[in-house]
Amino acid sequence: MSSDLTPFIAAGTRWLLTAFPPAPGAFSRALAEAQARQAVTLAAALRYPAPLDAQLLHLLGPGGSARLDWLTGADHGGDTDAGWRTWVDETVVSWAACLLAAPALATNAHRVVDRGQAGESTRLTRPGEHDHGAAPLLRHPDLLEPVAALHRDLLLDLLDNETAALG
């Protein structure tokens, strides 16, 4: 995966943590951020597997978070630093929500992506008690459903096709 995706991964992670805040405390915040970043990184590696994909994303832009904000009822009228929202890729965030809600799906996705591209994903694929406690909203399938449902079918088709090609 290209390092050119770093701003999109950061924006997607920030959006997830803003929409689904972690439990109080620095430790919870760090664990929730690790989980969100792993999910967004894996989703970005699936969505943009080649350097050319990342270049096209920079050229065309990711689309921003407007629809995601509307779905979750986000009110960022007082946000003076809302520019980062333009870097959010809706499909990547939707796929990340799918991966956060279903560790088995995340494990399958991690198998499809070259391990070097997606990095570490243990907190995503095998979340422990502390992970769930730190990010109860971020891991709640019912709360994630509106976002996950946006592009779940596309993710499942991709994983089915890639798994078939590997087999």
Side-chain angles (χ1 to χ4, degrees), residues 1-25:
M1 181 178 64
S2 173
S3 64
D4 290 341
L5 295 176
T6 302
F8 306 104
I9 291 169
T13 300
R14 183 172 176 181
W15 188 88
L16 282 168
L17 292 173
T18 301
F20 306 100

Side-chain angles (χ1 to χ4, degrees), residues 30-145:
L31 283 179
E33 184 174 349
Q35 293 173 71
R37 184 170 303 282
Q38 286 178 7
V40 173
T41 300
L42 181 54
L46 288 166
R47 179 84 170 143
Y48 304 107
L52 180 58
D53 297 318
Q55 292 172 357
L56 287 172
L57 179 61
H58 276 280
L59 180 67
L60 301 173
S65 68
R67 187 164 133 181
L68 295 168
D69 292 338
W70 176 79
L71 272 175
T72 59
D75 178 24
H76 53 83
D79 190 358
T80 59
D81 182 30
W84 64 270
R85 292 178 181 277
T86 62
W87 290 85
V88 174
D89 184 304
E90 177 184 298
T91 303
V92 169
V93 170
S94 175
W95 287 6
C98 291
L99 300 174
L100 284 161
L105 183 63
T107 300
N108 186 25
H110 200 257
R111 269 192 230 113
V112 168
V113 173
D114 175 29
R115 302 261 191 264
Q117 286 185 311
E120 177 60 38
S121 67
T122 305
R123 296 212 177 279
L124 179 63
T125 58
R126 291 188 311 255
E129 184 179 323
H130 292 296
D131 296 311
H132 284 287
L137 304 179
L138 190 62
R139 286 293 191 165
H140 198 289
D142 293 337
L143 296 177
L144 290 169
E145 182 57 25

